[in-house]
């Protein structure tokens, strides 16, 4: 998959260094993946949550952080829409971000 906006991940792990390794691990798996359906994502990330508008919520670092990605399945692209703590996640609308 082509991942758009790795910069958001970098900015986040600069503030939360304990998130760097888990986010890098997610990035490497996602980059090598060929996710064409939500089932493909669930095969790699069983705890991922599929929500409306082709958004997927990933639990990062044992569920300490949340990552919201917009998936363009046909184009093979992932658009990072949000990465943050649970408190920050609770303040957004993951379906529209």
């Amino acid at each position: 998959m082509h991942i758009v906006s790795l910069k958001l991940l970098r900015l986040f792990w600069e503030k939360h260094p304990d998130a760097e390794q888990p986010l890098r691990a997610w990035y490497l798996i996602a980059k090598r993946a060929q996710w064409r359906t939500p089932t493909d994502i669930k095969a790699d990330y069983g705890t991922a949550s599929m929500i409306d508008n082709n958004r997927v919520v990933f639990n990062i670092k044992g569920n300490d952080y949340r990552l919201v990605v917009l998936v363009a399945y046909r184009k093979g692209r992932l658009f990072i829409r949000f990465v943050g703590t649970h408190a920050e996640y609770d303040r957004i609308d993951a379906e529209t971000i």
Side-chain angles (χ1 to χ4, degrees), residues 72-89:
Y73 292 100
R74 287 186 184 180
K75 293 182 180 185
R77 292 189 181 150
L78 302 174
F79 298 88
I80 297 170
R81 306 301 296 161
F82 169 85
V83 60
T85 65
H86 274 276
E88 293 166 335
Y89 175 81

Side-chain angles (χ1 to χ4, degrees), residues 16-36:
H16 304 274
D18 62 327
E20 181 175 1
Q21 189 60 30
L23 286 170
R24 284 183 181 274
W26 175 88
Y27 177 82
L28 289 175
I29 291 168
K31 181 179 172 184
R32 294 179 181 144
Q34 293 184 17
W35 295 330
R36 300 292 175 228

